[in-house]
Amino acid sequence: MKKIEQISNIQYTLANEFNIKKLIGKNVISQSGELVGKVKNIYIKDYRIIGILVKKFMNFEIFIQNEFFDSFTPEAIILKIDPVTELIGLKVFDKNGKKLGKITRILREGIKNTLIAIFVKKGIFRSEIKISLNDIQTISEFVILKKEFEDLDL
Amino acid sequence: MMNEEKKDDILKDERYILSTDNILGKDVIDKSGQSIGVVNQVHIDKLDKNIIGISIDSGFMKPLVFVGIDLIVNFGVDSVYIQQTPRSRYIDMIVFDNIGVIVGKVKNVYFKDESFEISHIKIKVSMLKSLLLDVKYVKRIGRNIFLNISKRNVKILLRKQN
């Protein structure tokens, strides 16, 4: 083991301290236990961690602010949210089990994790429909609406 | 008499009549919006001539799950809604400890008598070892399971159990 000289006013046992370098590449897990991605970068401002960059696919990365961390350990970061960006691609069914299509994009409050509406499309040639959060019953692996498709205010 | 007439009207109305084609292969969704699988079979009582339930295919190498007609909320156009989350939904969920370290996978879940409330979960910790864990150690169940104890404590409980 390498000898480390310390220049500090406090004596630290560095082996026991949290080395953020080890966090790179570790899993980021959402509140519901879904793997969001892997830590690509950690952002620091005024000597404090302000957030992390999560790598999902080749060209898709999400920045998640530290406010949304439930636990932050060298093993993984658990979020206290399910990122709304994860909703894209989910199937949407109405109250009666009729499939309306898949979520193509979402509308949220600025850059917050607060969902306002989802946009659903069934097939390439159909037009997109906007469904507001008030009409949504459940969001999980599927999105289930409170109303029948015919009763939606489109 | 009035009721009989109403029933006849309903039977004439095609919206209320389903064929197995309308049910088989459809997504089965529980009340929390989680996917349970697709309808594989429809079971009919030979004597009563009534549907008694459906079998759900939850995926490759997983056994079929029977759901009784009482637990089916709605036969929709494109999906079937069921009231409760069957045991099979929890099997193979990843179990994380309180800091996000993987502890193992769910091998089985046990419900409290005559309810769908979980009392214990059996976690496959390694190839040969499984731990039966009280639900009080479970912090959250979503797509996977979070415990409120560390992996180290899980190992201690495992040692005690053996």
Side-chain angles (χ1 to χ4, degrees):
Chain A
M1 194 171 165
K2 275 185 185 173
K3 192 193 168 196
I4 303 171
E5 284 290 345
Q6 281 196 41
I7 301 175
S8 170
N9 291 330
I10 307 161
Q11 176 73 42
Y12 290 107
T13 316
L14 292 177
N16 298 340
E17 297 300 327
F18 187 169
N19 181 357
I20 57 168
K21 192 181 159 191
K22 285 182 183 169
L23 202 62
I24 306 290
K26 290 287 161 69
N27 290 340
V28 179
I29 306 160
S30 75
Q31 185 193 33
S32 60
E34 199 188 8
L35 183 71
V36 179
K38 291 191 184 289
V39 180
K40 190 185 174 190
N41 218 335
I42 298 159
Y43 288 87
I44 295 166
K45 190 184 176 190
D46 298 333
Y47 311 113
R48 281 167 181 261
I49 293 170
I50 56 160
I52 53 163
L53 190 68
V54 184
K55 190 177 179 179
K56 276 193 71 71
F57 319 115
M58 288 287 279
N59 283 323
F60 189 59
E61 290 164 355
I62 322 168
F63 172 80
I64 299 174
Q65 199 200 342
N66 63 1
E67 219 175 89
F68 301 118
F69 300 159
D70 186 23
S71 88
F72 190 87
T73 69
E75 303 299 331
I77 292 176
I78 303 173
L79 306 177
K80 52 184 174 191
I81 51 159
D82 287 316
V84 285
T85 48
E86 298 291 291
L87 298 180
I88 293 166
L90 294 189
K91 284 182 193 173
V92 181
F93 293 90
D94 79 353
K95 186 188 162 189
N96 288 337
K98 183 179 178 182
K99 189 181 164 187
L100 307 187
K102 283 184 179 179
I103 301 178
T104 49
R105 60 193 175 101
I106 54 161
L107 180 66
R108 55 188 171 126
E109 221 181 282
I111 55 164
K112 291 180 184 172
N113 197 50
T114 315
L115 188 70
I116 295 172
I118 55 172
F119 292 88
V120 181
K121 202 173 177 183
K122 194 176 186 179
I124 311 164
F125 303 107
R126 302 268 181 95
S127 58
E128 222 175 31
I129 53 168
K130 184 183 172 186
I131 299 166
S132 78
L133 185 65
N134 295 335
D135 293 330
I136 297 173
Q137 173 83 49
T138 315
I139 299 175
S140 184
E141 273 180 84
F142 294 115
V143 175
I144 302 169
L145 307 183
K146 284 178 191 166
K147 296 177 179 175
E148 288 179 35
F149 174 67
E150 289 75 18
D151 297 336
L152 289 171
D153 305 318
L154 301 174
Chain B
M1 190 66 190
M2 189 64 189
N3 279 342
E4 283 297 312
E5 276 174 16
K6 203 174 176 183
K7 202 175 168 185
D8 284 346
D9 286 345
I10 287 172
L11 285 173
K12 278 174 202 161
D13 191 336
E14 282 185 8
R15 285 180 304 169
Y16 297 103
I17 301 168
L18 287 171
S19 72
T20 48
D21 277 356
N22 301 125
I23 303 171
L24 295 172
K26 297 286 187 281
D27 284 312
V28 181
I29 304 169
D30 75 0
K31 62 175 180 181
S32 63
Q34 304 230 45
S35 167
I36 308 300
V38 292
V39 183
N40 189 272
Q41 292 167 354
V42 176
H43 300 269
I44 299 165
D45 186 321
K46 281 201 288 193
L47 299 175
D48 292 345
K49 296 165 197 156
N50 286 328
I51 292 179
I52 55 163
I54 55 171
S55 283
I56 304 166
D57 184 352
S58 306
F60 182 63
M61 297 283 278
K62 287 193 175 176
L64 292 180
V65 180
F66 174 80
V67 175
I69 197 79
D70 299 344
L71 295 178
I72 296 169
V73 179
N74 181 21
F75 285 108
V77 184
D78 299 305
S79 62
V80 175
Y81 291 155
I82 60 170
Q83 230 172 49
Q84 299 292 347
T85 309
R87 179 179 281 119
S88 65
R89 181 67 191 83
Y90 301 101
I91 311 289
D92 284 343
M93 273 187 174
I94 300 168
V95 181
F96 295 102
D97 78 350
N98 57 349
I99 58 164
V101 179
I102 296 174
V103 173
K105 278 188 173 182
V106 176
K107 200 174 173 186
N108 207 348
V109 289
Y110 301 92
F111 296 112
K112 285 175 189 165
D113 290 342
E114 292 174 14
S115 76
F116 283 87
E117 215 178 309
I118 296 171
S119 66
H120 290 82
I121 57 168
K122 196 171 193 177
I123 306 166
K124 192 178 175 184
V125 183
S126 65
M127 282 289 279
L128 300 169
K129 289 176 183 171
S130 295
L131 171 70
L132 189 66
L133 202 66
D134 194 293
V135 78
K136 70 180 179 188
Y137 297 115
V138 175
K139 185 180 175 188
R140 206 166 49 231
I141 301 177
R143 292 192 196 177
N144 290 306
I145 293 179
F146 286 104
L147 303 180
N148 52 24
I149 52 171
S150 65
K151 191 172 180 176
R152 204 175 147 206
N153 287 337
V154 169
K155 281 183 181 171
I156 294 168
L157 288 172
L158 187 68
R159 240 176 279 143
K160 276 184 189 170
Q161 193 177 284
N162 293 333

